[in-house]
Amino acid sequence: MSSPASSSSSDDAAASVLRHPGLRAFMAARVAAVLATQVQAVVVAWQVYDLTREPMALAYVGLAQFLPMLCLLLPAGDLIDRFSRRTILAGSWVVSAGCSALLWWLSGHGLAGVSAIYGVLVLYGCARAFAGPALQSLLPQIVPRAQLAQAIAVNGMLMRSATITGPFLGGVLYAAGGAPLTYLVCLACFALGALLLARVTVDHAGPQLATQGSMWQRFGAGIRFIWTRPVVLGCISLDLFAVLLGGVVALLPIYAQEVLHVGPQGLGALRSAMAIGEVGMGLFLSMKPLDRRVGATMFGAVAVFGLANLVFALSHWFWLSFGALMVAGMADMVSVYIRGALVQFSTPDGMRGRVQAVNMLFIGSSNELGEFRAGTSAAWLGAVPAAVAGGLCTLAVVGLWTRLFRGIGRLDRFEQAAAGSGRP
């Protein structure tokens, strides 16, 4: 953690970041989009499970969003490195708003069958394939490199604030006005985010790397870059396997109804629990950012994430489950902050679109494909055994990665990643 002598400079840096007009507009736009994403996730999951009462139906919710991201990985990364990231992001959010409108129309006309919902989620996954890497690669173009780590922490904290409000709002709106009202809120938030991007200025774009050759050749250069940078490869693969094997978010509707016996409001509270932990830790990191032992701290945080998920898996008391998810959220925020900063510091600007496209595929795999893994495990084993197995798998991944990527564990400061440190 930062030393007492650096406390004043850390506070000044945080205030300086928050005064940046382009970053403020970017953060406001992203909060609006994240709010819509969280509200929609709660409503879609509840609606699908309410219609089917089948764990596999929840698995297909994740799969419908992941497959388009997989198919569009190559063009998304290439286009983001060649064209305006701000324009691509705005277009992605406009398409997402259209998906919310389609879900509103389906539910309002009594046509909200699961097949139609899956179809809209496929289109939504297409939009997310471009939005994710554009978001991550745009931030370094808005703020100077000296403020990048601080901006990542502040932006992450505000984003998590939206993930607290979103699930609660989704559960309350669904209970009060049903699915049509919640989808209208999502539509408005996505549209607001796209409009706010017009106020974002790009002042710190790095030199454009060579883009000759075919799209396949350019994307191949991005893959080779990741493969030859153990810091980047280790960080993004850690997220893939730890959350893919250990995530419990997809099981929350089952836990809410059949284990903890709470309704839609309880489901919203459980989804918000992790976000509460993330926001609390994000606020701390924005004021007192990590600047020592970053590699070892990242591995430790993922281990705590796995242990907290184990406690949740075995709990039959709502408040214990809520607290375990909060701890998991705190640990996840530390891991996300460190991983995000290490990847950004390791990647030149002209390569960020392709690198972040692969990174977002890994994140999408750990989230959406992780939902499919959790749903199928619950269908085969039951919800509780599936959650227990997931927590144990996360701990196993941490142990393996500390051996495969010993160089990351030895990283002391973020700047060492830029110098090419982190080799085994």
Side-chain angles (χ1 to χ4, degrees):
M1 294 295 179
S2 54
S3 63
S6 66
S7 297
S8 176
S9 61
S10 297
D11 294 342
D12 292 342
S16 176
V17 167
L18 289 172
R19 287 195 296 267
H20 194 290
L23 182 61
R24 287 203 304 267
F26 173 78
M27 290 189 297
R30 191 173 185 185
V31 164
V34 171
L35 183 68
T37 301
Q38 292 296 317
V39 169
Q40 192 159 284
V42 170
V43 176
V44 168
W46 186 270
Q47 190 176 16
V48 167
Y49 191 69
D50 195 45
L51 287 169
T52 64
R53 301 289 174 170
E54 292 290 338
M56 281 300 298
L58 294 175
Y60 292 133
V61 167
L63 190 64
Q65 297 174 73
F66 169 73
L67 289 179
M69 295 175 65
L70 176 63
C71 296
L72 294 174
L73 168 65
L74 190 154
D78 186 61
L79 289 173
I80 288 165
D81 275 341
R82 297 174 60 204
F83 300 102
S84 168
R85 295 167 183 175
R86 184 179 62 177
T87 302
I88 291 172
L89 180 57
S92 300
W93 284 346
V94 168
V95 174
S96 297
C99 293
S100 299
L102 287 173
L103 291 170
W104 166 81
W105 187 84
L106 288 170
S107 59
H109 288 75
L111 301 174
V114 290
S115 297
I117 293 174
Y118 291 148
V120 176
L121 291 179
V122 169
L123 179 60
Y124 182 53
C126 293
R128 291 186 63 189
F130 290 86
L135 266 172
Q136 299 299 326
S137 57
L138 180 59
L139 181 59
Q141 294 186 339
I142 299 172
V143 298
R145 189 178 184 85
Q147 296 180 333
L148 181 57
Q150 198 84 34
I152 290 172
V154 174
N155 185 62
M157 182 267 294
L158 291 176
M159 183 181 67
R160 264 52 179 198
S161 297
T163 63
I164 291 178
T165 306
F168 272 121
L169 182 61
V172 170
L173 289 177
Y174 189 86
L181 177 60
T182 56
Y183 291 135
L184 281 178
V185 172
C186 295
L187 189 160
C189 288
F190 278 127
L192 176 61
L195 291 173
L196 286 172
L197 284 179
R199 301 182 59 188
V200 174
T201 56
V202 177
D203 300 322
H204 301 281
Q208 182 67 43
L209 298 187
T211 56
Q212 294 89 351
S214 68
M215 181 171 62
W216 289 98
Q217 291 171 327
R218 291 190 297 268
F219 192 77
I223 296 296
R224 287 192 298 273
F225 175 84
I226 294 172
W227 188 254
T228 57
R229 299 287 292 199
V231 172
V232 179
L233 179 62
C235 286
I236 63 178
S237 60
L238 177 65
D239 179 83
L240 168 66
F241 290 104
V243 182
L244 170 64
L245 298 175
V248 298
V249 172
L251 302 178
L252 292 184
I254 302 174
Y255 266 81
Q257 289 199 29
E258 299 178 8
V259 178
L260 302 175
H261 306 293
V262 292
Q265 297 91 335
L267 173 61
L270 289 173
R271 288 191 66 104
S272 294
M274 289 189 70
I276 292 172
E278 289 169 342
V279 168
M281 182 57 68
L283 180 62
F284 176 80
L285 291 174
S286 67
M287 297 296 104
K288 308 290 183 184
L290 290 167
D291 59 4
R292 301 300 300 269
R293 294 177 55 82
V294 295
T297 302
M298 179 185 70
F299 285 133
V302 180
V304 172
F305 175 80
L307 289 171
N309 281 340
L310 270 178
V311 173
F312 170 81
L314 296 170
S315 170
H316 285 70
W317 296 284
F318 175 80
W319 289 112
L320 178 59
S321 301
F322 188 90
L325 291 176
M326 280 185 61
V327 173
M330 295 172 68
D332 188 51
M333 182 63 193
V334 174
S335 173
V336 167
Y337 164 68
I338 296 176
R339 284 187 287 106
L342 287 176
V343 171
Q344 295 285 20
F345 273 90
S346 299
T347 309
D349 189 64
M351 188 71 72
R352 281 197 174 101
R354 283 162 284 178
V355 170
Q356 291 299 338
V358 177
N359 190 24
M360 293 309 298
L361 174 66
F362 278 45
I363 293 173
S365 299
S366 62
N367 292 330
E368 277 71 36
L369 195 56
E371 290 181 10
F372 180 75
R373 190 279 312 165
T376 53
S377 298
W380 296 338
L381 306 174
V384 174
V388 170
L392 293 174
C393 286
T394 297
L395 296 176
V397 167
V398 175
L400 180 60
W401 256 240
T402 56
R403 295 180 63 86
L404 292 177
F405 298 94
R406 291 188 180 94
I408 295 180
R410 292 193 294 265
L411 286 176
D412 189 45
R413 297 180 181 274
F414 291 120
E415 290 77 9
Q416 292 177 318
S421 300
R423 295 188 178 277

